[in-house]
Amino acid sequence: MKELPDEKKLAELLVLAKEAEQRMREAGDAIEAFYQKWERRQKNTQVVKQNVGGKE
């Protein structure tokens, strides 16, 4: 039968899980900021193309 981890090991795993969750949040925020910046650039590019008659 498999032995369960002790309390100390469980506490360490909980800390690791919380750190991983925080890193994922930070990565998600960075991805969101990148996407918004990219989207603004796309819209600005479309506006410039329209202003010059659609020519690149």
Side-chain angles (χ1 to χ4, degrees), residues 7-47:
E7 192 173 319
K8 182 179 176 184
K9 185 67 174 178
L10 289 174
E12 290 172 1
L13 291 172
L14 181 60
V15 168
L16 287 174
K18 287 182 179 184
E19 289 173 357
E21 182 181 18
Q22 180 61 30
R23 288 181 187 156
M24 292 302 295
R25 269 197 206 108
E26 291 169 1
D29 292 344
I31 291 168
E32 180 65 26
F34 175 83
Y35 174 76
Q36 289 176 0
K37 185 176 181 180
W38 178 81
E39 194 173 45
R40 281 192 303 272
R41 285 185 180 180
Q42 289 295 104
K43 288 178 182 178
N44 289 339
T45 301
Q46 290 173 356
V47 168

